[in-house]
Amino acid sequence: MNARARKQWRATGRATGLYAGALALAAFVLGPFVWMLLTALKTPREVFSRPPTWWPREVTLGNLRDAATGEFGRSLLNSALVCAGTTVLCLALALLACYTLTRPGLRGRSGMLGAILVSQLLPHAVLLVPIYRMAGDLGLLNTRTGLMVAMLAFNLPVGIWLLRGYLSAVPIEVEEAARMDGLSQFRAYWTVVVPLSVPGIMAVAVFVFFTAWQDFIFAMVFLTDPDLGTTPLALLGFVGKHSVNWGLLMGASTVMMIPVLLLFAAVQRHLVGGLAAGAVKG
């Protein structure tokens, strides 16, 4: 075997190893989701069969249908309202904060950014009791608004840090040109600079929505009314003291993933565009 053949053989071996590693990683990541979906499509008898079956012998949509209706269906609506409200509030406040942090002439900008970053170093459990007491004093306990504010306290710093990078990349000359056309500084920011940062805004919106959608601790602490429960709390209801309805639990988990997948599919183009723009500007 000559040197060229050995080189090609080594390159082929490395490529094969990379493909094998990628397939193993994909199986490790997607395996639990595939098993969840297959379990949701099984009958109750087959779910508890021994030995377990990989593919359902008799496909049923009863678990998905039962999960999408009743109390779990109401929890989906509650989660959608809470997550949408948290996302809108976080984006509005983060854009207002970034308006100041990205404009020239601000003193103490580094200290402000450092304080925002330090706030993320504290565990959520440390701030849970103070936020709970403040919400109680304001009459926000057991309300969707109180849950939004609680989750906003931990999502807003991340949103400010992410949006600041996108808004800082917009040339200041763009805003100055808009002001020369007769727009005020604040209006030029919202009508010219902010639309140019749509990929970053969409990325932050997806991050905040996903974080709020899967939240369990704050929902469990701040909500006591079953009619206001979110999907993580509803999933806990399928776990009994002596048994677990695995088919219904997997069906509910599958239904819970559908809004997330639809949201990601809707904003995927903006996310890819934002990553590409960040790579070029970086």
Side-chain angles (χ1 to χ4, degrees):
M1 181 181 296
N2 55 29
R4 183 177 180 180
R6 286 197 299 268
K7 185 177 181 181
Q8 292 179 349
W9 182 80
R10 292 173 181 172
T12 303
R14 287 194 294 267
T16 303
L18 290 176
Y19 282 122
L23 289 175
L25 180 60
F28 178 78
V29 174
L30 298 178
F33 297 99
V34 174
W35 182 255
M36 176 186 68
L37 177 59
L38 294 177
T39 304
L41 298 177
K42 295 178 180 178
T43 60
R45 181 184 298 274
E46 190 175 357
V47 169
F48 294 98
S49 63
R50 293 291 184 272
T53 57
W54 288 97
W55 300 98
R57 300 190 185 96
E58 181 182 354
V59 177
T60 177
L61 299 178
N63 294 322
L64 299 176
R65 183 180 60 252
D66 294 341
T69 58
E71 295 183 1
F72 189 79
R74 183 171 61 248
S75 69
L76 288 173
L77 178 60
N78 292 332
S79 289
L81 293 175
V82 171
C83 295
T86 304
T87 303
V88 171
L89 288 175
C90 183
L91 288 177
L93 295 177
L95 287 172
L96 288 175
C98 291
Y99 175 74
T100 302
L101 295 174
T102 57
R103 300 302 96 186
L106 176 64
R107 296 182 179 180
R109 181 184 308 173
S110 300
M112 294 181 185
L113 292 173
I116 295 174
L117 182 61
V118 169
S119 66
Q120 292 299 295
L121 301 179
L122 298 175
H124 290 186
V126 174
L127 300 178
L128 185 59
V129 174
I131 295 177
Y132 181 85
R133 296 188 62 179
M134 292 176 60
D137 295 337
L138 296 175
L140 296 178
L141 290 180
N142 199 31
T143 62
R144 297 190 185 97
T145 304
L147 182 59
M148 294 178 193
V149 174
M151 290 190 292
L152 184 66
F154 295 96
N155 289 317
L156 183 59
V158 179
I160 292 175
W161 264 94
L162 294 177
L163 282 179
R164 177 183 172 273
Y166 283 96
L167 294 172
S168 298
V170 179
I172 192 65
E173 290 79 10
V174 174
E175 182 178 346
E176 293 176 350
R179 295 186 63 187
M180 292 181 63
D181 291 337
L183 297 180
S184 63
Q185 183 176 3
F186 189 71
R187 187 177 179 184
Y189 174 77
W190 283 100
T191 60
V192 178
V193 178
V194 171
L196 293 176
S197 303
V198 168
I201 295 174
M202 297 302 297
V204 174
V206 171
F207 171 81
V208 175
F209 188 91
F210 286 1
T211 303
W213 186 263
Q214 64 184 356
D215 173 75
F216 175 77
I217 298 298
F218 287 100
M220 182 179 63
V221 172
F222 281 81
L223 299 178
T224 57
D225 188 353
D227 294 336
L228 298 178
T230 56
T231 48
L233 296 180
L235 290 178
L236 184 62
F238 298 121
V239 180
K241 183 177 181 180
H242 301 289
S243 63
V244 179
N245 191 339
W246 289 108
L248 193 56
L249 178 60
M250 295 299 102
S253 300
T254 303
V255 173
M256 182 180 175
M257 287 183 56
I258 294 177
V260 177
L261 295 177
L262 293 177
L263 177 61
F264 181 80
V267 303
Q268 183 180 11
R269 179 173 59 87
H270 296 285
L271 293 178
V272 174
L275 293 176
V280 174
K281 294 173 184 177

